[in-house]
């Protein structure tokens, strides 16, 4: 409604893309006007959420090309399309490519199409030939990067077997955790990132079965829950319901542990702070990673500047980092709960007990 010049070319592109089976309309609703498509065969109007994936992709592509043509203001810039046709059936694919061929020819415009499917090259070449156009160049980025063909043939597309998961074989929980290479519990990262070792350390055979089936992180259980695999894993000594309770308990514990500690500091936070020069950014990020994102410990390290990597680190930079972390929730003034308080609060939560299951156990 604000740029009517965009609407007409968008409607024209969309009509051609769909072999003139659809017409683009603008709904004049009270709250917010919206684009919708009229199926010309039936006269039925369809909103974006009612169109097939392929037709919706065609509509959005038509609108974007029209918008690009408008904002160029007389210049002709290249278009980059990243697998924009992968939802289209062969007929629609050909229609769009032929239309873009005409756009490229009429406007003397470069159009780059990025794809991971080598077959697309032949499909595009065939479609363009129908418009007396041709591909200017087919560039294999894998070949450029590695000096070798990215895919030499079907036999090169081979997925290796998963690494073998060692069995407990009489090991203690601690010994098995070492054998698996389990990382130290890091509540600051949230319960989803914790290894299932911390939920199933009392049943190492079940833990092994989880790992063999590719379930290593506690957060994966929510996506598995309710499936046949979950029923299978929960059919032994520890039921699916109890596993879910244990995951909930770990989630509650991690939230309690975060109290007074703030959000974990990562590269994104340090970059956004704007307080670090390129000279120190990578080193401070490395120190933050070593401290598992603990904002208090990071600020203490920056304040002391005893780490050789911080030689010459300025106080103004420290103050800038501290100000950003405080303003954006990375520092929390609430009191940190000690071990006894953490255990007490965790035991108080509803997810710690179920009358049909009993007290749950999580290795905290």
């Amino acid at each position: 409604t604000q740029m009517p010049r965009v609407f007409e070319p968008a409607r024209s592109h969309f009509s051609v893309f769909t072999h003139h089976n659809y017409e683009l309309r603008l709904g004049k609703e009270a709250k917010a006007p919206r684009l919708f498509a009229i199926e010309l065969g039936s006269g039925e109007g369809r909103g974006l959420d009612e169109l097939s994936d392929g037709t919706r992709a065609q509509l959005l592509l038509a609108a974007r090309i029209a918008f690009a043509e408008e904002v160029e203001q007389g210049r002709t810039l290249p278009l980059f399309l990243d697998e924009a046709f992968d939802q289209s059936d062969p007929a629609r694919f050909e229609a769009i490519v032929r239309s873009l061929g005409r756009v490229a020819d009429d406007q003397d415009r470069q159009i780059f199409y990025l794809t991971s499917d080598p077959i697309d090259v032949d499909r595009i070449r065939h479609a363009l030939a129908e418009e007396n156009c041709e591909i200017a160049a087919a560039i294999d980025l894998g070949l450029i990067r590695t000096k070798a063909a990215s895919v030499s043939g079907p036999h090169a597309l081979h997925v290796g077997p998963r690494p073998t998961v060692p069995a407990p074989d009489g090991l203690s929980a601690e010994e098995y955790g070492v054998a698996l290479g389990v990382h130290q519990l890091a509540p600051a990262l949230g319960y989803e990132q914790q290894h299932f070792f911390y939920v199933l350390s009392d049943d190492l055979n079940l833990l092994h079965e989880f790992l063999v089936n590719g379930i290593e992180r506690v957060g994966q259980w929510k996506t598995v829950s309710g499936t046949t695999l979950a029923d299978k894993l929960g059919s032994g000594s520890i039921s699916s319901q109890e596993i879910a309770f244990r995951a909930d308990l770990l989630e509650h514990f991690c939230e309690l542990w975060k109290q007074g500690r703030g959000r974990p500091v990562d590269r994104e936070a340090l970059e956004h702070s704007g307080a670090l020069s390129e000279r120190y950014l990578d080193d401070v990020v490395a120190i933050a990673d070593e401290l598992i994102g603990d904002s208090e410990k990071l600020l203490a390290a920056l304040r002391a500047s005893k780490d050789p990597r911080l030689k010459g680190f300025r106080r103004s930079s420290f103050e800038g980092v501290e100000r950003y972390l405080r303003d954006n929730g990375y520092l929390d003034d609430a009191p940190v709960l000690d071990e006894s308080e953490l255990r007490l609060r965790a035991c108080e939560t509803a997810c710690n007990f179920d009358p049909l299951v009993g007290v749950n156990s999580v290795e905290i």
Side-chain angles (χ1 to χ4, degrees):
T1 57
Q2 296 179 10
M3 300 183 68
R5 293 187 305 274
V6 172
F7 183 74
E8 288 303 324
R11 180 159 61 179
S12 176
H13 287 313
F14 183 55
S15 176
V16 173
F17 288 174
T18 61
H19 284 289
H20 307 287
N21 288 318
Y22 285 89
E23 181 182 0
L24 186 61
R25 297 275 183 88
L26 185 65
K28 300 184 182 298
E29 297 183 357
K31 292 183 179 179
R34 65 187 181 94
L35 292 176
F36 68 100
I38 297 292
E39 188 175 8
L40 299 180
S42 64
E44 184 178 354
R46 300 180 186 275
L48 283 177
D49 58 345
E50 299 172 309
L51 296 172
S52 68
D53 290 343
T55 304
R56 183 166 58 250
Q58 291 169 324
L59 190 157
L60 295 175
L61 181 60
R64 287 170 178 164
I65 290 176
F67 181 76
E69 292 170 343
E70 173 65 23
V71 299
E72 286 175 328
Q73 298 182 352
R75 294 170 295 175
T76 303
L77 302 177
L79 296 180
F80 285 80
L81 308 178
D82 188 357
E83 296 192 326
F85 313 152
D86 61 352
Q87 299 292 337
S88 300
D89 59 38
R92 288 172 177 160
F93 185 102
E94 181 176 342
I96 296 176
V97 173
R98 291 179 64 172
S99 300
L100 291 177
R102 291 198 297 272
V103 168
D105 190 49
D106 295 343
Q107 300 178 1
D108 193 23
R109 182 189 298 274
Q110 278 186 306
I111 299 179
F112 294 84
Y113 187 74
L114 310 180
T115 179
S116 59
D117 187 350
I119 297 176
D120 282 348
V121 178
D122 291 331
R123 296 171 68 193
I124 292 173
R125 182 176 285 114
H126 173 77
L128 290 178
E130 297 297 318
E131 297 294 328
N132 295 317
C133 301
E134 60 183 19
I135 295 176
I139 304 171
D140 187 335
L141 296 181
L143 181 61
I144 294 172
R145 286 195 306 268
T146 64
K147 305 300 181 183
S150 55
V151 178
S152 58
H155 297 294
L157 300 175
H158 173 70
V159 179
R162 284 181 180 176
T164 302
V165 179
D169 289 339
L171 297 176
S172 67
E174 292 78 9
E175 291 169 338
Y176 192 44
V178 172
L180 293 173
V182 175
H183 291 290
Q184 180 180 354
L185 184 71
L189 301 179
Y191 83 101
E192 301 97 329
Q193 297 300 317
Q194 308 309 321
H195 198 285
F196 243 108
F197 171 84
Y198 294 106
V199 173
L200 296 175
S201 62
D202 59 333
D203 191 332
L204 300 184
N205 289 324
L206 179 57
L207 173 61
H208 177 261
E209 193 171 353
F210 265 64
L211 299 178
V212 168
N213 283 279
I215 306 174
E216 179 178 304
R217 304 295 170 183
V218 179
Q220 293 175 267
W221 182 250
K222 286 193 175 181
T223 61
V224 176
S225 184
T227 66
T228 303
L229 177 58
D231 293 339
K232 173 188 173 185
L233 294 173
S235 62
S237 58
I238 302 179
S239 68
S240 297
Q241 184 183 24
E242 183 172 353
I243 294 169
F245 275 128
R246 292 185 178 199
D248 289 344
L249 179 58
L250 181 59
E251 178 182 9
H252 187 67
F253 170 80
C254 289
E255 292 304 314
L256 290 172
W257 186 92
K258 291 178 186 178
Q259 180 178 310
R261 292 183 168 92
R263 298 162 55 192
V265 181
D266 55 13
R267 172 178 285 275
E268 183 178 3
L270 294 170
E271 287 179 344
H272 287 173
S273 73
L276 299 172
S277 65
E278 292 185 8
R279 158 70 178 79
Y280 290 104
L281 178 60
D282 288 341
D283 288 331
V284 174
V285 169
I287 293 171
D289 290 343
E290 293 164 9
L291 298 174
I292 318 179
D294 189 306
S295 56
E296 292 285 358
K297 292 181 179 179
L298 174 63
L299 289 176
L302 296 181
R303 186 185 294 111
S305 295
K306 293 181 179 180
D307 191 303
R309 292 170 290 185
L310 297 175
K311 183 177 181 180
F313 191 73
R314 296 184 177 182
R315 180 169 183 79
S316 59
S317 297
F318 164 78
E319 293 173 347
V321 172
E322 181 182 33
R323 184 166 52 252
Y324 178 85
L325 297 182
R326 191 171 299 281
D327 291 345
N328 290 274
Y330 291 91
L331 292 169
D332 186 349
D333 293 330
V336 175
L337 300 176
D338 61 23
E339 182 177 344
S340 62
E341 290 174 315
L342 278 172
R343 290 183 178 276
L344 179 62
R345 296 276 190 93
C347 288
E348 289 175 347
T349 182
C351 61
N352 191 48
F353 181 79
D354 180 84
L356 298 178
V357 177
V359 177
N360 293 294
S361 171
V362 175
E363 185 69 28
I364 299 175

